[in-house]
Amino acid sequence: MSLDAACTVRELRESFASGRTRPYEWRIGQLKQIVKLVDENQDEIAEALHKDIGKPPFESFISEISLLKASCKVVIGGLKKWMAPEKVGTTITSFPSSAEIVPEPLGVILIISAWNYPFLLSMDPVIGAIAAGNAVVLKPSEVAPATSSLLEKLVSKYLDGTAIRVFEGSVAETTSLLEQRWDKIFYTGSGRIGKIVMAAAANHLTPVTLELGGKCPVIVDPTADLQVTARRIVAGKWGSNNGQACIAPDYIITLDFFAPKLIDALKSTLENFFGKDAFQTSDMSRIVNLNHFTRLTRLLDDPKVSDKVIYGGERDEKKLIITPALLLDPPADSLIMADEIFGPLLPIITVQKMEEALEFVNSRPKPLAAYLFSKNKNLEKEVVASISAGGMVVNDTVLHLTNHNLPFGGVGESGTGAYHGKFSFDNFSHKKAVLYRGFAGDLGARYPPYTKKKQSMVRCLLNGDIIGLICALIGWGR
Ligand code: NAD
């Protein structure tokens, strides 16, 4: 396989132009191969994930391997129906006619993925791109090198290399890929690089999907079940890649009087899950690399939060571990409240009233996910109606990602476009509008010269004035 970006795109474009990727049989064959790839290599995939991020094998199974397989099976199950043209109604202006929406592949797709779920986030969009009949280049993240090279090995072994390729590399390689003309770019990662991707795409007017991140709030109302709430927050934060997840809880916001109870419940849940000495647990991923470790320690060492760390935050630089940390009321201008944390630190912000919590969330960029814990149905309604976020979960965290009937994606600064299930197929398809007409019923009134009679007929027709139309036709003035 050539590692020249221009050459790769040219070869894939030829493959796509040959029509190879369009038939249902090719698409379904490749999707079944992905299921096989996963089934036959589960241990190797889990090993690579452990090497890259210290991901516990069980977590790899739950949040990467089984999710990917489930995603592929849903697409296999729905594909025939999704590929079929959809008949739609017609209007009087084109009478007589019929109309349908025909999904067609976009062409050659570039998928750039992130390091935190390096298997799932690479292969899940590939499933959508193949399902929609495209050729595709996957650029995995160099920050997870073991998974990146495993993906290269497995994709070239199991999938059709004339149309599906892995292109490994970091900034230089991605830059050369971004210089090429693509029919769609699907990027997962930070907003900072998202801007580079979008600018490169603009050069060729290429559409983009940007799966970005942001600060995901967890609003905890005092009516919530304390123990279940604590468990679900801890699982969504530290049990999901140790906070290195785009939809991990970024901060909690709750009422002042309720915070001490919630903090106690979080502490005891953390100890139940990971033991008294979190350095010893094998049930939590480590920090991905020294850069991110340094970035996170900077958040803890910010003088503005020196007296705000109320639990954990011990570090082992050699092992790249920071123990789960809770911070109480870090100031709004502290580093930890400025950007997405993406690690094992969890600030708790207290307010006097729930309205303040909603105002706080709404005064910040729209998050990728927002969570509410409450038994108060009115509050639930208000939060769903008034907080804009990519997705939302009431009384849990993270789980919306596992429901393939829900679109997964951001809004505003947390991203643009969505995928999963049928939304993946739609994301990589163009919905072509097709109107069919015969040669009969060729109404002369639409053609020049525009006589008074014709104008009157057409006006009556477009205004739905049937009596006027009949009068115009038989020459009666009204
Ligand atoms: P990353 O460092 O792995 O970068 C993502 C991709 O961008 C990589 O493939 C990398 O090679 C490429 N890249 C890096 N620098 C580049 C440059 N200068 N030019 C072109 N390409 C470049 O991942 P990251 O950005 O650290 O990922 C973390 C972010 O991703 C977080 O903000 C997180 O919330 C977000 N994220 C979002 C989702 C989602 O589904 N919405 C999922 C995971 C992560």
Side-chain angles (χ1 to χ4, degrees):
M1 191 198 85
S2 166
L3 267 185
D4 175 78
C7 173
T8 302
V9 181
R10 199 168 44 246
E11 287 170 11
L12 262 60
R13 211 164 268 298
E14 276 166 20
S15 227
F16 177 74
S18 75
R20 179 182 189 84
T21 63
R22 286 176 180 254
Y24 171 77
E25 290 70 26
W26 182 87
R27 305 184 197 192
I28 216 76
Q30 296 304 304
L31 294 171
K32 286 185 176 161
Q33 279 297 105
I34 293 181
V35 175
K36 194 168 171 212
L37 177 161
V38 177
D39 278 340
E40 292 180 358
N41 298 280
Q42 294 201 18
D43 292 346
E44 237 186 305
I45 295 165
E47 258 167 49
L49 294 168
H50 192 264
K51 220 181 213 174
D52 284 333
I53 334 170
K55 202 174 281 211
F58 186 60
E59 205 183 306
S60 291
F61 177 72
I62 293 185
S63 61
E64 304 230 27
I65 293 166
S66 71
L67 268 185
L68 197 269
K69 225 172 105 174
S71 169
C72 203
K73 286 187 168 172
V74 166
V75 174
I76 289 172
L79 188 60
K80 192 157 241 166
K81 194 165 156 223
W82 303 341
M83 281 177 72
E86 182 194 341
K87 288 260 174 249
V88 295
T90 54
T91 59
I92 188 78
T93 42
S94 60
F95 180 83
S97 66
S98 64
E100 60 184 14
I101 301 169
V102 179
E104 65 177 11
L106 295 171
V108 184
I109 309 290
L110 172 62
I111 292 170
I112 304 174
S113 71
W115 55 264
N116 60 335
Y117 287 84
F119 185 71
L120 178 74
L121 296 179
S122 295
M123 291 306 291
D124 211 0
V126 168
I127 290 170
I130 293 172
N134 299 285
V136 52
V137 172
L138 164 66
K139 212 300 287 174
S141 174
E142 71 283 11
V143 182
T147 312
S148 174
S149 70
L150 181 64
L151 280 165
E152 204 282 319
K153 186 178 106 181
L154 296 180
V155 166
S156 56
K157 179 173 168 194
Y158 284 83
L159 302 183
D160 177 358
T162 64
I164 307 161
R165 301 259 177 94
V166 171
F167 195 105
E168 285 193 274
S170 68
V171 178
E173 291 77 7
T174 318
T175 305
S176 71
L177 286 170
L178 285 172
E179 281 162 5
Q180 312 307 314
R181 187 174 69 77
W182 302 92
D183 297 299
K184 175 145 206 173
I185 301 177
F186 186 106
Y187 166 80
T188 303
S190 64
R192 190 175 63 83
I193 309 300
K195 288 179 190 169
I196 296 175
V197 171
M198 204 166 180
N203 282 332
H204 299 283
L205 292 177
T206 298
V208 291
T209 290
L210 301 175
E211 292 284 338
L212 312 177
K215 289 184 90 59
C216 301
V218 186
I219 300 169
V220 184
D221 172 52
T223 61
D225 180 310
L226 190 60
Q227 299 310 325
V228 177
T229 299
R231 277 203 293 272
R232 291 178 179 177
I233 292 175
V234 171
K237 177 77 176 181
W238 293 278
S240 303
N241 228 19
N242 201 3
Q244 302 168 107
C246 54
I247 50 172
D250 189 275
Y251 65 92
I252 291 175
I253 185 156
T254 191
L255 296 192
D256 186 31
F257 83 90
F258 185 67
K261 276 193 209 165
L262 180 61
I263 290 164
D264 283 346
L266 289 169
K267 286 180 187 170
S268 63
T269 306
L270 279 165
E271 288 181 9
N272 284 341
F273 284 10
F274 305 113
K276 280 206 183 319
D277 179 5
F279 284 118
Q280 304 305 325
T281 183
S282 55
D283 290 336
M284 202 163 22
S285 303
R286 61 164 161 73
I287 308 301
V288 66
N289 59 24
L290 190 58
N291 283 347
H292 280 273
F293 183 89
T294 311
R295 177 183 65 77
L296 289 161
T297 54
R298 220 176 281 138
L299 303 185
L300 282 174
D301 293 341
D302 175 5
K304 289 191 170 134
V305 301
S306 57
D307 57 345
K308 306 292 182 188
V309 182
I310 52 166
Y311 181 80
E314 297 94 3
R315 310 127 197 217
D316 183 333
E317 189 178 303
K318 277 211 177 92
K319 291 186 177 157
L320 296 175
I321 296 174
I322 300 175
T323 61
L326 300 174
L327 293 87
L328 184 58
D329 281 326
D333 61 350
S334 58
L335 292 175
I336 200 162
M337 290 312 292
D339 290 317
E340 181 182 6
I341 296 169
F342 221 60
L345 327 176
L346 183 62
I348 297 147
I349 307 291
T350 62
V351 289
Q352 300 302 314
K353 293 185 290 194
M354 266 301 139
E355 297 85 72
E356 285 175 51
L358 271 58
E359 273 169 35
F360 187 93
V361 173
N362 279 330
S363 67
R364 296 175 154 257
K366 295 177 181 181
L368 183 60
Y371 305 114
L372 168 71
F373 286 86
S374 176
K375 286 183 188 158
N376 178 338
K377 288 286 166 197
N378 287 333
L379 178 64
E380 184 181 308
K381 268 191 203 146
E382 198 183 339
V383 166
V384 172
S386 69
I387 291 183
S388 181
M392 202 171 262
V393 185
V394 176
N395 294 329
D396 214 321
T397 59
V398 172
L399 287 186
H400 59 308
L401 168 102
T402 63
N403 182 338
H404 59 259
N405 296 307
L406 292 172
F408 184 77
V411 55
E413 287 181 36
S414 57
T416 177
Y419 70 132
H420 287 186
K422 168 118 181 349
F423 304 100
S424 288
F425 176 83
D426 291 343
N427 189 312
F428 292 104
S429 299
H430 166 60
K431 299 298 183 81
K432 186 161 62 187
V434 184
L435 187 75
Y436 298 94
R437 298 209 69 204
F439 294 100
D442 194 35
L443 189 64
R446 66 185 268 210
Y447 303 121
Y450 299 125
T451 61
K452 276 206 164 126
K453 182 178 175 185
K454 284 183 181 177
Q455 288 189 42
S456 161
M457 277 169 64
V458 171
R459 277 181 214 283
C460 291
L461 186 71
L462 295 182
N463 287 334
D465 178 1
I466 302 301
I467 297 183
L469 179 64
I470 294 167
C471 292
L473 272 169
I474 57 178
W476 282 3
R478 275 204 305 164

